[in-house]
Amino acid sequence: METHDQLERWVHQRIAGAEPAAEWPDPADGWRHLDQRIARRSPHRPWLLAGATAAVCAAVLALPGPRVVAQRLWDQVVLGRIQVMLVDYSGDGAAAAFFSPDIYQRADARPVPSIEAASARAGFSPRLPGDDVFAVSPSYSVADITAARWQLRTPAIRYLFDQAGGSASEVPDSWNGAVLEVRAGPMIIADYNGVLLLQSLPFQLTKPVDFDLTLFYRIGFQVLGMNEQEARARSADLSLSPALLTVMPKEEHDLVYGFRTKSGAGVMIHEVYGPGKIVALWSGADRVYALYPDTREVTREFVMTVANALE
Amino acid sequence: MPEDAAADSFDFEAVFHRHYRRVARVIFRVIQDPSRAEELAVEVFWKLWRHSSAQGPHSGAWLHRAAVRTAVDELRTRARRERRERWFGFNAPSGDPEQAREAAEGQTRIRTVLATLRAQDAQLIALRFEGLSYEELAEALDLKPTSIGTMLRRAQESFRKEYVKRYGDA
């Protein structure tokens, strides 16, 4: 009597008569076609989303090229809010350049098919406005962590502080070579047909143990032109309520608009990415948000509407 | 990366590279058309991309099921189209010796025979040929593991019967 093995061998011999080459098909070809198809479905190609994410992170981590004077200092262990500080800075840019971090890990944003997939990938669930705020349903992407590092050089800080009228001896020797690191993300991006709503859990700052952030802020503010009394007051405030700090020159005050939401505060920065473009950054209960109009313009009122609809 | 890991660490690109070749070959096994098999394999992964509930530790089985169903659907669609075209005279048998020789080739034979089988039988045969175990077959086609042996044998007997009827025992 015929066994099942014999029957199976007979069938497989017939099927194997039309065997494709062992290396067929090429997964790279398949992936390219799939990637194209995914990109066609998304309003923006993945590289565009990555670019937008990088741009928003850059708004937090370092201001873009035309405003090289405007720089930022850092923060605290958990950076749950965002604050812009206008300083009367008239230096030649050396201080600003000195305080620029090295963004050594840039976010790579990839589209995901659903809000569930976005949550799974990012590790948290996004908060979204009701259907009445945006007229369209969003598509989603998730950007990986963006990380920036800042290695301190005591001689340079002492020189700048001295130039600003401070006492170089206040800069501790232990700061030399110290590394501050900020990690932002993962970030969920909801794309409402050209207006990107980004959100992340609070950013994280890693600093050396016993590193005196209050002193660091004060010295930084003085280097950037703030008088000692004001610098002391501001740095003390920051030590009590950690914030991701954006420092901008006073002459650009007309571009910065602070606002409060139901559960936090934020700032809109005008014309950072082109005429009429507003980038808004704000914090909620346990989130950092950004609104980035990629292909459309938005008004201040609309930013407020979105911000208040999230918490 | 472990087998598809958990949904919260689902690496779509890694899953694609791990399963794409097998998915394409399963489809090819049924439709015997390499170009179309590649297109349909991409289609299967596109479906996986859109169905987040399928992304997780069982995505491999999901892919096998989707691949073989897609392939059998394609086969049946083709068969219907060919019948329709013959009916309307678009593709009437010409008696051309070259065409007759082509029809005798293995690819056409396999495609023709599989198209006549029940969908589930064709799916079982294609996946089994690609080396799936009984357990993997059961998971991919959502069947009872204890029934797989019997069902597979019946499917293969149906295949042989149809093949021999059309082409002899060559």
Side-chain angles (χ1 to χ4, degrees):
Chain A
M1 181 182 172
E2 183 187 50
T3 66
H4 187 188
D5 281 349
Q6 290 170 316
L7 170 62
E8 189 160 83
R9 201 174 308 123
W10 189 96
V11 171
H12 287 185
Q13 280 172 352
R14 299 304 178 285
I15 296 176
E19 185 73 5
E23 66 275 14
W24 180 90
D26 180 1
D29 273 352
W31 180 253
R32 184 166 48 82
H33 286 120
L34 181 63
D35 211 30
Q36 287 171 350
R37 178 152 190 191
I38 290 170
R40 277 202 304 274
R41 178 180 178 266
S42 304
H44 302 278
R45 296 183 59 79
W47 64 265
L48 248 182
L49 290 167
T53 306
V56 169
C57 288
V60 176
L61 298 173
L63 286 178
R67 307 193 183 282
V68 290
V69 172
Q71 292 293 334
R72 63 227 40 249
L73 297 174
W74 296 130
D75 14 71
Q76 301 289 34
V77 176
V78 175
L79 306 170
R81 68 189 180 95
I82 294 168
Q83 184 174 343
V84 169
M85 194 165 290
L86 296 167
V87 296
D88 187 11
Y89 177 70
S90 57
D92 60 4
F98 174 78
F99 282 112
S100 296
D102 168 28
I103 303 176
Y104 70 94
Q105 182 178 317
R106 294 184 182 276
D108 177 24
R110 288 199 65 84
V112 292
S114 65
I115 189 171
E116 292 80 12
S119 303
R121 187 169 178 124
F124 66 93
S125 297
R127 295 191 186 121
L128 300 172
D131 294 341
D132 54 328
V133 175
F134 289 97
V136 294
S137 297
S139 57
Y140 297 97
S141 298
V142 176
D144 300 329
I145 288 173
T146 294
R149 184 188 292 128
W150 187 9
Q151 185 162 31
L152 307 185
R153 297 291 175 210
T154 302
I157 297 173
R158 283 178 173 154
Y159 170 78
L160 292 167
F161 195 38
D162 182 66
Q163 293 291 302
S167 171
S169 61
E170 284 194 77
V171 179
D173 291 337
S174 61
W175 282 13
N176 196 35
V179 173
L180 306 181
E181 183 175 288
V182 170
R183 295 172 69 82
M187 193 170 287
I188 294 177
I189 306 163
D191 181 349
Y192 292 92
N193 200 20
V195 178
L196 308 184
L197 173 63
L198 301 95
Q199 57 190 288
S200 160
L201 297 178
F203 300 167
Q204 300 290 322
L205 169 70
T206 303
K207 65 177 183 61
V209 176
D210 298 330
F211 184 85
D212 188 344
L213 274 173
T214 306
L215 176 62
F216 178 76
Y217 281 134
R218 178 170 68 80
I219 289 176
F221 294 158
Q222 287 187 242
V223 165
L224 288 171
M226 199 177 284
N227 67 51
E228 182 179 347
Q229 186 178 5
E230 189 179 4
R232 282 185 184 278
R234 293 296 187 100
S235 58
D237 287 345
L238 280 172
S239 66
L240 292 174
S241 179
L244 186 68
L245 189 61
T246 296
V247 179
M248 294 183 70
K250 272 185 177 168
E251 59 265 30
E252 294 184 345
H253 68 92
D254 57 326
L255 299 179
V256 179
Y257 177 73
F259 65 96
R260 297 201 65 80
T261 69
K262 286 188 289 191
S263 58
V267 61
M268 302 180 208
I269 305 174
H270 290 251
E271 299 185 17
V272 173
Y273 296 106
K277 289 286 184 72
I278 297 175
V279 171
L281 306 164
W282 71 97
S283 54
D286 58 353
R287 294 288 162 80
V288 174
Y289 300 100
L291 195 69
Y292 175 85
D294 185 23
T295 59
R296 292 162 50 196
E297 294 180 8
V298 297
T299 63
R300 288 182 183 181
E301 292 72 25
F302 184 74
V303 171
M304 295 294 297
T305 300
V306 173
N308 282 318
L310 295 175
E311 298 276 332
Chain B
M1 184 180 172
E3 174 58 25
D4 294 2
D8 61 357
S9 60
F10 189 77
D11 185 339
F12 184 80
E13 187 169 352
V15 170
F16 177 90
H17 285 283
R18 185 157 61 249
H19 292 287
Y20 173 71
R21 183 165 280 163
R22 196 177 209 184
V23 164
R25 293 175 84 92
V26 164
I27 296 170
F28 170 82
R29 203 59 65 197
V30 176
I31 68 171
Q32 301 287 311
D33 178 343
S35 297
R36 184 62 179 148
E38 288 182 77
E39 289 174 4
L40 292 175
V42 168
E43 184 72 25
V44 167
F45 280 94
W46 168 244
K47 288 176 183 170
L48 176 65
W49 169 261
R50 295 174 60 198
H51 289 81
S52 56
S53 60
Q55 298 173 6
H58 301 293
S59 60
W62 188 94
L63 284 166
H64 292 144
R65 180 166 57 247
V68 78
R69 285 181 177 171
T70 300
V72 171
D73 286 349
E74 170 76 6
L75 197 61
R76 294 181 166 227
T77 301
R78 280 187 179 202
R80 279 197 301 273
R81 187 171 64 238
E82 286 169 6
R83 280 197 299 275
R84 200 164 52 240
E85 287 172 349
R86 276 200 298 274
W87 181 260
F88 288 106
F90 296 142
N91 190 25
S94 63
D96 183 339
E98 181 60 20
Q99 199 173 48
R101 185 196 64 76
E102 187 180 318
E105 287 181 343
Q107 290 188 355
T108 306
R109 290 183 178 187
I110 302 303
R111 195 167 60 215
T112 303
V113 172
L114 287 176
T116 65
L117 300 183
R118 291 194 317 137
Q120 190 176 79
D121 288 350
Q123 293 166 4
L124 278 166
I125 288 169
L127 290 175
R128 179 64 173 169
F129 184 81
E130 282 302 320
L132 267 68
S133 67
Y134 282 17
E135 290 76 18
E136 288 171 323
L137 286 174
E139 187 178 12
L141 299 180
D142 202 18
L143 299 170
K144 287 182 183 173
T146 51
S147 307
I148 288 294
T150 305
M151 297 176 82
L152 180 61
R153 179 167 187 138
R154 282 183 189 155
Q156 290 168 335
E157 284 174 342
S158 297
F159 178 92
R160 183 168 66 177
K161 184 178 174 185
E162 190 64 34
Y163 188 97
V164 170
K165 186 175 81 178
R166 288 172 178 268
Y167 308 111
D169 197 7

